[in-house]
Amino acid sequence: MKVTVITLVHGRHAHLAAQQQALLRSSQLPDDYVIVAMDDPGVAASFPDPRLPGTVVELPRTGTALPLAKARNAGARAALQRGADLLLFLDVDCLPGTDLVAGYAAAAKDDAVAARLLCGPVTYLEPPGPGGYCLDRLQDLDSPHPARPAPQPDEIIPEDNPDLFWSLSFAVTAATWDRIGGFCEDYTGYGGEDTDYARLAGRAGAGLAWVGAARAYHQFHPTQDPPVQHLADIVRNANLFHARWGTWPMGGWLQGFRERGLIKGGQGTTPCTLTDQVGQPA
């Protein structure tokens, strides 16, 4: 089985370098590594690490929002053309645990779950010290996000709630990817495209499976909750999701935006719209 890691990047080159250093510590190295550089021509000059077989796919940005859905499809297409049997998507901010690659590969050979979207627990890390994270002791920081299942390293738990899917760390066999058909490229920017993909997977008969051995560690970077820096993307994508599926995604974020007076609607059948308060000085 040829396992290909697929990573999207726009900036965050230090995070990408750390991810590659962590991959080199894997109990099973990936067979290939596809980096999709979204409007970031500087990536090809420095990556991937020469000790990792791989390639960089250049994807220019045609609008103001990053083409995340399109980039994942481009990464998958390149990986499949290079002979991948298992597509392992890993966010550029994520450091793979020692057994992440091996854990996903083993799950993909398990007939009970191989046709599902394989998801691993993710720990959100605190800011690193002056020397950065100790990549040899990531397991000491293990504290998976409480909003998702976190089976033990020797456990795999099937899951049929598509809303629990997240795209920052997951794997899918080539056959299942082809059956689902990839991400909907109508989504641009941040938010909603991963929930949509999980719905597409469910419609194709592919639920989720949580793979305890496939642990990842999300490198710290400043953010906001709710992510107001992605407000326009989230509103646009939420409306698209509702038009496609009849329900609202990202409910907690939309509620947070409503409480701050940043949006109206996004409930029932009322479209989600920005308010006049958006863009005004705080």
Side-chain angles (χ1 to χ4, degrees):
M1 173 179 286
K2 183 172 182 176
V3 181
T4 300
V5 172
I6 301 169
T7 298
L8 317 184
V9 61
H10 173 77
R12 306 243 170 109
H13 292 187
H15 284 179
L16 179 61
Q19 180 186 94
Q20 293 180 58
Q21 291 302 308
L23 278 172
L24 288 167
R25 289 164 166 78
S26 298
S27 59
Q28 175 180 333
L29 289 175
D31 300 292
D32 202 7
Y33 188 36
V34 173
I35 301 169
V36 183
M38 299 179 294
D39 196 31
D40 191 345
V43 171
S46 303
F47 302 99
D49 186 291
R51 292 170 291 177
L52 291 169
T55 189
V56 174
V57 176
E58 300 278 4
L59 187 66
R61 176 163 50 181
T62 57
T64 58
L66 289 175
L68 298 175
K70 185 176 182 179
R72 291 195 184 96
N73 290 345
R77 187 163 52 249
L80 293 170
Q81 290 171 350
R82 292 164 63 88
D85 300 301
L86 182 66
L87 309 177
L88 197 171
F89 291 84
L90 194 62
D91 189 281
V92 68
D93 299 325
C94 283
L95 300 169
T98 304
D99 293 327
L100 179 138
V101 175
Y104 277 136
K109 297 173 184 176
D110 184 339
D111 290 341
V113 296
R116 292 173 173 264
L117 299 181
L118 307 173
C119 303
V122 177
T123 293
Y124 279 75
L125 299 173
E126 297 296 326
Y133 299 110
C134 179
L135 300 180
D136 294 317
R137 301 189 64 85
L138 287 176
Q139 69 277 5
D140 295 346
L141 305 176
D142 193 64
S143 181
H145 195 287
R148 297 293 191 278
Q152 294 300 309
D154 60 348
E155 294 180 317
I156 300 176
I157 301 176
E159 170 64 63
D160 292 320
N161 180 359
D163 292 340
L164 291 181
F165 175 73
W166 52 13
S167 56
L168 75 172
S169 174
F170 78 99
V172 58
T173 66
T176 301
W177 175 269
D178 288 341
R179 191 167 82 250
I180 296 169
F183 285 75
C184 173
E185 295 186 7
D186 293 337
Y187 292 90
T188 56
Y190 185 83
E193 84 289 346
D194 48 358
T195 307
D196 186 283
Y197 180 71
R199 295 290 179 93
L200 291 172
R203 191 168 69 185
L208 313 181
W210 289 92
V211 182
R215 287 171 133 73
Y217 301 85
H218 189 281
Q219 302 174 76
F220 176 84
H221 59 79
T223 188
Q224 295 173 281
D225 187 16
V228 295
Q229 72 273 29
H230 299 296
L231 176 63
D233 290 351
I234 290 171
V235 167
R236 180 182 60 252
N237 289 342
N239 284 325
L240 172 60
F241 186 96
H242 186 268
R244 284 168 58 82
W245 301 102
T247 60
W248 293 100
M250 305 174 283
W253 290 348
L254 295 183
Q255 178 62 26
F257 294 151
R258 281 191 293 269
E259 291 172 352
R260 288 162 175 77
L262 299 175
I263 66 169
K264 296 178 180 178
Q267 295 175 302
T269 59
T270 305
C272 190
T273 58
L274 299 172
T275 68
D276 294 338
Q277 184 171 324
V278 175
Q280 295 181 0

